[in-house]
Amino acid sequence: MKGIILAGGTGSRLHPLTLGVSKQLLPVYDKPMIYYPLTTLMLAGIREILIVTTPVDRDAFRRALGDGSQWGVTLSYAVQAAPDGVAQALTIGRDFLAGGPVALILGDNLFYGHDFSIELTRAAKLTSGALLFAHAVRDPGRYGVVAFDGDGRPASIEEKPARPKSPWAVTGLYFYGPDAPDIAAGLRPSARGELEITAVNAAYLARGDCTVQRLGRGYCWFDTGTHAALLEATEFVRAVQERQHLLISSPEEIAWRQGWIDDDRLRAAGEALARTEYGRYLLRLFEPGW
């Protein structure tokens, strides 16, 4: 399975912060925002990743992330000329996917939970249909909302409903079979003028080929697209890292633990950043007990 990170858009909800920089390059505590979705894909075992961004921001992402070889992955870049919807990332990535399944994640989403990597690895084995993750929220009308029947199966998916049928929001992490680009290509723009990812999800649901996994107690999900959510995510990452003495979403550590880079590569990364707590943490991984 290959991965796509959608890191486009204008970030208008975060103006004036994003007038001169992509939203997905803003810091969430000690790392660029895009590190969080990137490492989510890495935890799923995905090593070929396409970053879809704007014409203005592509070079900035290249400078920040390079080709991924430092983490044992391959990063490619593509442009979304205008913010025409999340589903468009699937058609933009059609050639990259080469007829295979895909994990699509939004560049402003952060996930955290015990053993979430196990769930991600299982999801990455998908070969057909759709697998979505849902998280309960206080304001579901801001999101795509999934409702369930009496047996716990998804019954409906609606985009930003005025009267939500459940508190379960569909998160910005989607696993699809090889036909996802074809479904996206057949969509018509919504009233907002966008190709809605909810319409892709609803198409899978309509044919009985959609599974939704609820992230319950013990899982956290952040959509960091507003000032308040960005601050909340930053405070969460800081608290967990300081309490548990670990890094959330370090691509170097994940690549090392996955066996994609060796000790020498990890040590070099730590030494290059030795003046920072981030770099010192990477070097501590070689100490007994870590």
Side-chain angles (χ1 to χ4, degrees), residues 77-131:
Y77 298 86
V79 164
Q80 184 183 39
D84 292 331
V86 173
Q88 191 179 50
L90 295 169
T91 60
I92 292 172
R94 182 192 292 274
D95 291 343
F96 166 78
L97 296 173
V102 58
L104 170 64
I105 188 168
L106 303 187
D108 60 0
N109 273 219
L110 186 160
F111 295 85
Y112 184 80
H114 180 64
D115 287 339
F116 190 43
S117 61
I118 295 175
E119 304 297 340
L120 292 170
T121 302
R122 184 181 299 120
K125 295 178 181 178
L126 177 142
T127 57
S128 65
L131 190 157

Side-chain angles (χ1 to χ4, degrees), residues 7-286:
T10 61
S12 58
R13 290 186 298 165
L14 284 170
H15 283 178
L17 284 178
T18 49
L19 289 175
V21 64
S22 168
K23 169 178 66 175
Q24 292 85 6
L25 290 174
L26 292 175
V28 176
Y29 189 48
D30 58 347
K31 293 172 287 292
M33 185 187 295
I34 197 168
Y35 271 35
Y36 298 90
L38 172 63
T39 52
T40 297
L41 296 180
M42 292 173 67
L43 285 170
I46 296 171
R47 302 181 69 175
E48 294 181 71
I49 299 167
L50 176 69
I51 297 170
V52 178
T53 186
T54 69
V56 172
D57 296 317
R58 179 170 56 180
D59 288 346
F61 279 100
R62 286 187 187 274
R63 288 194 299 272
L65 305 176
D67 63 3
S69 59
Q70 70 274 29
W71 302 316
V73 302
T74 301
L75 300 180
S76 304
Y77 298 86
V79 164
Q80 184 183 39
D84 292 331
V86 173
Q88 191 179 50
L90 295 169
T91 60
I92 292 172
R94 182 192 292 274
D95 291 343
F96 166 78
L97 296 173
V102 58
L104 170 64
I105 188 168
L106 303 187
D108 60 0
N109 273 219
L110 186 160
F111 295 85
Y112 184 80
H114 180 64
D115 287 339
F116 190 43
S117 61
I118 295 175
E119 304 297 340
L120 292 170
T121 302
R122 184 181 299 120
K125 295 178 181 178
L126 177 142
T127 57
S128 65
L131 190 157
L132 315 176
F133 290 93
H135 194 283
V137 296
R138 288 177 297 178
D139 50 354
R142 292 179 50 214
Y143 305 95
V145 175
V146 57
F148 299 89
D149 63 20
D151 295 320
R153 294 173 299 199
S156 67
I157 299 177
E158 299 176 280
E159 179 66 17
K160 296 181 174 62
R163 292 184 174 84
K165 296 178 181 178
S166 87
W168 291 97
V170 178
T171 70
L173 174 61
Y174 320 90
F175 289 81
Y176 297 124
D179 57 346
D182 293 332
I183 293 175
L187 298 180
R188 292 184 178 181
S190 66
R192 299 192 303 164
E194 297 185 5
L195 300 179
E196 304 285 358
I197 199 66
T198 296
V200 174
N201 298 334
Y204 280 108
L205 180 62
R207 73 185 200 194
D209 207 8
C210 179
T211 300
V212 179
Q213 183 165 336
R214 285 182 266 196
L215 300 177
R217 191 182 298 271
Y219 290 95
C220 291
W221 166 58
F222 297 90
D223 171 0
T224 57
T226 67
H227 297 97
L230 182 61
L231 177 60
E232 184 180 16
T234 292
E235 291 173 337
F236 175 83
V237 171
R238 177 181 180 273
V240 171
Q241 291 188 170
E242 294 205 354
R243 291 281 182 174
Q244 298 187 356
H245 303 288
L246 54 77
L247 282 181
I248 295 175
S249 296
S250 164
E252 293 87 356
E253 180 181 6
I254 292 170
W256 179 64
R257 295 193 184 280
Q258 296 276 45
W260 300 345
I261 63 172
D262 59 17
D263 289 359
D264 290 342
R265 185 75 66 88
L266 179 66
R267 186 175 287 107
E271 290 173 349
L273 298 170
R275 297 181 63 182
T276 70
E277 180 55 34
Y278 189 100
R280 290 190 289 271
Y281 171 85
L282 296 180
L283 295 174
R284 283 200 301 271
L285 294 174
F286 294 105

